[in-house]
Short mmCIF file of all heavy atoms in Angstrom, two decimals:
data_model
loop_
_atom_site.label_atom_id
_atom_site.label_comp_id
_atom_site.label_asym_id
_atom_site.label_seq_id
_atom_site.Cartn_x
_atom_site.Cartn_y
_atom_site.Cartn_z
N HIS A 87 -69.87 32.14 47.96
CA HIS A 87 -69.91 30.86 48.71
C HIS A 87 -68.95 30.94 49.95
O HIS A 87 -67.86 31.48 49.79
CB HIS A 87 -69.63 29.61 47.85
CG HIS A 87 -68.33 29.53 47.18
ND1 HIS A 87 -67.29 28.82 47.75
CD2 HIS A 87 -67.81 30.01 46.01
CE1 HIS A 87 -66.19 28.83 46.96
NE2 HIS A 87 -66.53 29.56 45.88
N GLN A 91 -62.56 24.31 49.92
CA GLN A 91 -62.04 23.01 49.49
C GLN A 91 -61.29 22.32 50.71
O GLN A 91 -60.81 23.01 51.60
CB GLN A 91 -61.07 23.18 48.35
CG GLN A 91 -61.77 23.49 47.02
CD GLN A 91 -62.31 22.25 46.32
OE1 GLN A 91 -61.89 21.13 46.62
NE2 GLN A 91 -63.28 22.44 45.48
N ASP A 120 -60.78 32.00 47.43
CA ASP A 120 -61.92 31.17 46.89
C ASP A 120 -62.73 30.67 48.06
O ASP A 120 -62.55 29.58 48.51
CB ASP A 120 -61.34 30.05 46.05
CG ASP A 120 -62.37 29.21 45.38
OD1 ASP A 120 -63.54 29.68 45.33
OD2 ASP A 120 -62.08 28.13 44.86
N ASP A 121 -63.81 31.40 48.49
CA ASP A 121 -64.22 32.65 47.99
C ASP A 121 -64.48 33.63 49.11
O ASP A 121 -65.02 34.66 49.01
CB ASP A 121 -65.52 32.42 47.13
CG ASP A 121 -66.22 33.66 46.64
OD1 ASP A 121 -65.51 34.55 46.14
OD2 ASP A 121 -67.42 33.77 46.82
N GLU A 154 -70.94 25.33 47.12
CA GLU A 154 -70.47 25.57 45.78
C GLU A 154 -69.40 24.54 45.39
O GLU A 154 -69.39 24.05 44.28
CB GLU A 154 -69.88 27.02 45.66
CG GLU A 154 -69.68 27.46 44.18
CD GLU A 154 -68.39 27.05 43.57
OE1 GLU A 154 -67.48 26.68 44.31
OE2 GLU A 154 -68.31 27.12 42.34
N GLU A 155 -68.53 24.28 46.34
CA GLU A 155 -67.38 23.36 45.96
C GLU A 155 -67.80 21.89 45.82
O GLU A 155 -67.04 21.02 45.40
CB GLU A 155 -66.27 23.47 47.05
CG GLU A 155 -65.67 24.88 47.21
CD GLU A 155 -64.83 25.36 46.04
OE1 GLU A 155 -64.82 24.71 44.98
OE2 GLU A 155 -64.23 26.46 46.17
N ILE A 156 -69.10 21.62 46.14
CA ILE A 156 -69.59 20.26 45.79
C ILE A 156 -70.66 20.31 44.76
O ILE A 156 -71.48 19.41 44.62
CB ILE A 156 -70.05 19.58 47.10
CG1 ILE A 156 -71.08 20.40 47.84
CG2 ILE A 156 -68.91 19.17 48.02
CD1 ILE A 156 -71.78 19.67 49.02
N GLY A 157 -70.68 21.37 44.00
CA GLY A 157 -71.60 21.45 42.85
C GLY A 157 -72.96 22.03 43.14
O GLY A 157 -73.90 21.89 42.34
N SER A 158 -73.15 22.76 44.24
CA SER A 158 -74.40 23.44 44.59
C SER A 158 -75.62 22.55 44.52
O SER A 158 -76.63 22.97 43.89
CB SER A 158 -74.59 24.69 43.69
OG SER A 158 -73.43 25.53 43.76
N ASP A 181 -65.90 35.69 42.39
CA ASP A 181 -65.42 34.33 42.70
C ASP A 181 -64.57 33.85 41.54
O ASP A 181 -64.62 32.70 41.13
CB ASP A 181 -66.63 33.40 42.91
CG ASP A 181 -66.24 32.04 43.40
OD1 ASP A 181 -65.14 31.95 44.01
OD2 ASP A 181 -67.00 31.10 43.15
N SER A 182 -63.73 34.80 40.94
CA SER A 182 -62.96 34.39 39.82
C SER A 182 -61.67 35.25 39.86
O SER A 182 -61.42 35.96 40.75
CB SER A 182 -63.71 34.63 38.52
OG SER A 182 -64.19 35.96 38.39
N SER A 183 -60.89 35.04 38.82
CA SER A 183 -59.53 35.70 38.81
C SER A 183 -59.46 36.80 37.79
O SER A 183 -60.13 36.77 36.76
CB SER A 183 -58.47 34.62 38.43
OG SER A 183 -58.59 33.52 39.23
N LEU A 193 -65.60 38.69 33.42
CA LEU A 193 -65.73 37.54 32.62
C LEU A 193 -66.87 37.57 31.66
O LEU A 193 -67.95 38.09 32.04
CB LEU A 193 -65.79 36.25 33.44
CG LEU A 193 -64.64 35.98 34.42
CD1 LEU A 193 -64.88 34.66 35.14
CD2 LEU A 193 -63.32 35.97 33.68
N LEU A 196 -68.08 31.34 31.31
CA LEU A 196 -67.51 30.31 32.19
C LEU A 196 -67.75 28.92 31.55
O LEU A 196 -68.81 28.78 30.92
CB LEU A 196 -68.22 30.25 33.54
CG LEU A 196 -68.04 31.39 34.54
CD1 LEU A 196 -69.09 31.33 35.61
CD2 LEU A 196 -66.61 31.31 35.14
N LEU A 199 -69.26 21.96 33.64
CA LEU A 199 -68.51 20.82 34.20
C LEU A 199 -69.38 19.60 34.18
O LEU A 199 -70.61 19.61 34.35
CB LEU A 199 -68.16 21.15 35.63
CG LEU A 199 -67.38 20.08 36.46
CD1 LEU A 199 -65.93 19.90 35.88
CD2 LEU A 199 -67.29 20.52 37.89
N ARG A 329 -64.72 19.71 31.10
CA ARG A 329 -65.14 21.09 31.11
C ARG A 329 -65.97 21.31 29.85
O ARG A 329 -65.48 20.91 28.75
CB ARG A 329 -63.95 22.06 31.18
CG ARG A 329 -63.18 21.93 32.40
CD ARG A 329 -63.88 22.52 33.62
NE ARG A 329 -63.19 22.15 34.87
CZ ARG A 329 -63.49 22.67 36.09
NH1 ARG A 329 -64.49 23.57 36.17
NH2 ARG A 329 -62.88 22.25 37.16
N HIS A 363 -71.15 15.48 39.94
CA HIS A 363 -71.80 16.81 39.81
C HIS A 363 -71.50 17.48 38.51
O HIS A 363 -70.58 17.05 37.74
CB HIS A 363 -71.55 17.71 41.00
CG HIS A 363 -70.11 18.04 41.26
ND1 HIS A 363 -69.65 18.04 42.58
CD2 HIS A 363 -69.12 18.43 40.47
CE1 HIS A 363 -68.34 18.37 42.46
NE2 HIS A 363 -68.02 18.61 41.28
N GLY A 364 -72.22 18.55 38.25
CA GLY A 364 -72.00 19.22 36.96
C GLY A 364 -72.55 20.60 36.97
O GLY A 364 -73.13 21.06 38.01
N ALA A 365 -72.24 21.29 35.91
CA ALA A 365 -72.66 22.66 35.75
C ALA A 365 -72.75 22.93 34.26
O ALA A 365 -71.98 22.44 33.47
CB ALA A 365 -71.62 23.66 36.35
N GLU A 397 -63.25 32.38 31.04
CA GLU A 397 -62.56 31.66 32.10
C GLU A 397 -62.85 30.17 31.95
O GLU A 397 -63.90 29.77 31.46
CB GLU A 397 -63.01 32.18 33.47
CG GLU A 397 -62.65 31.40 34.68
CD GLU A 397 -61.16 31.15 34.87
OE1 GLU A 397 -60.39 32.14 34.78
OE2 GLU A 397 -60.81 30.03 35.10
N GLY A 398 -61.86 29.34 32.29
CA GLY A 398 -61.96 27.90 32.13
C GLY A 398 -62.71 27.18 33.31
O GLY A 398 -63.21 26.08 33.16
N GLY A 399 -62.80 27.81 34.46
CA GLY A 399 -63.44 27.20 35.66
C GLY A 399 -64.95 27.39 35.55
O GLY A 399 -65.49 27.89 34.62
N SER A 400 -65.60 26.84 36.61
CA SER A 400 -67.12 26.83 36.59
C SER A 400 -67.63 27.32 37.88
O SER A 400 -67.10 27.15 38.96
CB SER A 400 -67.55 25.39 36.44
OG SER A 400 -66.86 24.69 35.43
N ILE A 401 -68.79 28.06 37.83
CA ILE A 401 -69.55 28.43 38.98
C ILE A 401 -70.99 28.04 38.65
O ILE A 401 -71.65 28.66 37.92
CB ILE A 401 -69.45 29.95 39.26
CG1 ILE A 401 -67.98 30.41 39.36
CG2 ILE A 401 -70.21 30.29 40.52
CD1 ILE A 401 -67.81 31.93 39.47
N PRO A 402 -71.40 26.84 39.20
CA PRO A 402 -72.65 26.19 38.70
C PRO A 402 -73.84 27.13 38.65
O PRO A 402 -74.64 27.09 37.69
CB PRO A 402 -72.86 25.01 39.70
CG PRO A 402 -71.51 24.74 40.19
CD PRO A 402 -70.75 26.03 40.25
N LEU A 427 -55.66 28.45 44.50
CA LEU A 427 -56.97 27.97 44.90
C LEU A 427 -57.02 26.44 44.69
O LEU A 427 -56.48 25.95 43.73
CB LEU A 427 -58.14 28.67 44.19
CG LEU A 427 -58.11 29.18 42.80
CD1 LEU A 427 -59.50 29.51 42.34
CD2 LEU A 427 -57.22 30.32 42.57
N HIS A 428 -57.69 25.79 45.62
CA HIS A 428 -57.81 24.31 45.63
C HIS A 428 -56.49 23.64 45.87
O HIS A 428 -56.35 22.41 45.66
CB HIS A 428 -58.44 23.75 44.36
CG HIS A 428 -59.83 24.22 44.07
ND1 HIS A 428 -60.73 23.53 43.28
CD2 HIS A 428 -60.56 25.28 44.57
CE1 HIS A 428 -61.85 24.14 43.24
NE2 HIS A 428 -61.81 25.22 43.99
N1 BES B 501 -64.25 30.02 42.21
C1 BES B 501 -64.15 28.78 41.56
C2 BES B 501 -64.33 28.82 40.04
C3 BES B 501 -63.38 29.74 39.32
C4 BES B 501 -62.03 29.71 39.59
C5 BES B 501 -63.86 30.54 38.33
C6 BES B 501 -61.20 30.60 38.93
C7 BES B 501 -63.07 31.35 37.67
C8 BES B 501 -61.72 31.46 37.94
C9 BES B 501 -65.17 27.81 42.15
O1 BES B 501 -65.15 27.86 43.54
C10 BES B 501 -64.82 26.40 41.75
O2 BES B 501 -63.82 25.91 42.21
N2 BES B 501 -65.70 25.78 40.99
C11 BES B 501 -65.55 24.38 40.66
C12 BES B 501 -66.89 23.80 40.25
C13 BES B 501 -67.56 22.94 41.24
C14 BES B 501 -68.79 22.32 40.68
C15 BES B 501 -66.72 22.05 42.05
C16 BES B 501 -64.58 24.16 39.57
O3 BES B 501 -64.50 24.97 38.60
O4 BES B 501 -63.93 23.16 39.60
#
Side-chain angles (χ1 to χ4, degrees):
H87 63 94
Q91 286 280 338
D120 185 13
D121 174 43
E154 196 275 345
E155 301 290 8
I156 53 172
S158 306
D181 186 26
S182 56
S183 312
L193 300 184
L196 287 165
L199 180 68
R329 297 288 167 171
H363 59 225
E397 167 57 50
S400 315
I401 306 172
L427 36 165
H428 296 203

